[in-house]
Amino acid sequence: MLMFRSILFIQYAIILAISFVSGVVCFQVFPLDKSMKLISYIDPRVLDITDISVWETVLPLIGWMVLVLFFATHPYLHVLAKLVVGVKITFFGFSSVFLLTQQESLLIYSVWWFPFQLVYCFLLFLLCSVYSAKRVGPNKKYVFSQKLFVTLLITLSIICVGEILSISYILPRL
């Protein structure tokens, strides 16, 4: 069991690294105006961090969670859940380069964007595991782990509150 978890961790780390670098490369390929347009569709907070509402923080997170859960709980499409997280990480890399290329954004990036988005990506990977196959004799039985799901919801909620506090109280003082 421990070996399986370590292999899964390595798999997630490789997906994270490749997807993040892919986002960096995509940013280099896109013209700046197209990059800004894409960012405005997915997470407009990256473009303007001065006036962010609570809903602008909560809704993108809920959208990614619903998308991951939709695929993770489907017996035939569960592999696509990891692909959705990979797309999220690609956007994370894409918008990270955007923030780092903007003047005076290093503090914003290091206090707000990078830590919270990295934790969200890891938690979304864990969300991919809430519905898994168990061997029962010669057959597979799919089991929804309610304990893991509730734990992830609580953890995601705590991280989201931390992000909102960071945006509301720490970023304005930088």
Side-chain angles (χ1 to χ4, degrees), residues 124-145:
L124 287 174
F125 269 135
L126 290 175
L127 199 57
C128 293
S129 304
V130 295
Y131 191 70
S132 60
K134 305 282 185 198
R135 286 258 181 227
V136 180
N139 300 330
K140 280 186 185 179
K141 180 180 179 186
Y142 289 93
V143 179
F144 184 80
S145 176

Side-chain angles (χ1 to χ4, degrees), residues 16-17 19-28 32 35-36 38-40 42-43 45-47 49 86-121 163:
L16 180 94
S19 297
F20 190 87
V21 170
S22 297
V24 171
V25 170
C26 286
F27 184 82
Q28 300 301 323
L32 185 59
S35 298
M36 291 175 71
L38 178 66
I39 290 170
S40 72
I42 298 175
D43 198 345
R45 301 175 304 162
V46 176
L47 298 175
I49 60 159
V87 169
K88 164 75 170 133
I89 296 167
T90 302
F91 177 73
F92 171 36
F94 188 87
S95 51
S96 291
V97 176
F98 176 80
L99 278 173
L100 290 173
T101 57
Q102 302 306 305
Q103 295 168 338
E104 299 181 26
S105 292
L106 187 58
L107 282 173
I108 293 167
Y109 177 75
S110 60
V111 171
W112 165 57
W113 186 253
F114 183 79
F116 288 103
Q117 295 305 311
L118 183 64
V119 171
Y120 286 146
C121 291
E163 183 181 18

Side-chain angles (χ1 to χ4, degrees), residues 1-2 5 28 32 34 41 53-54 70 78 87 113 148:
M1 185 72 159
L2 183 61
R5 287 184 185 167
Q28 300 301 323
L32 185 59
K34 301 285 185 193
Y41 290 139
S53 71
V54 172
F70 173 75
H78 62 88
V87 169
W113 186 253
L148 177 62

Side-chain angles (χ1 to χ4, degrees), residues 50-102:
T50 57
D51 189 29
I52 300 173
S53 71
V54 172
W55 292 113
E56 288 176 318
T57 302
V58 174
L59 289 178
L61 177 61
I62 290 173
W64 288 109
M65 288 172 50
V66 167
L67 205 54
V68 168
L69 275 174
F70 173 75
F71 288 116
T73 56
H74 193 282
Y76 300 110
L77 300 176
H78 62 88
V79 176
L80 294 178
K82 293 176 188 171
L83 178 68
V84 169
V85 179
V87 169
K88 164 75 170 133
I89 296 167
T90 302
F91 177 73
F92 171 36
F94 188 87
S95 51
S96 291
V97 176
F98 176 80
L99 278 173
L100 290 173
T101 57
Q102 302 306 305

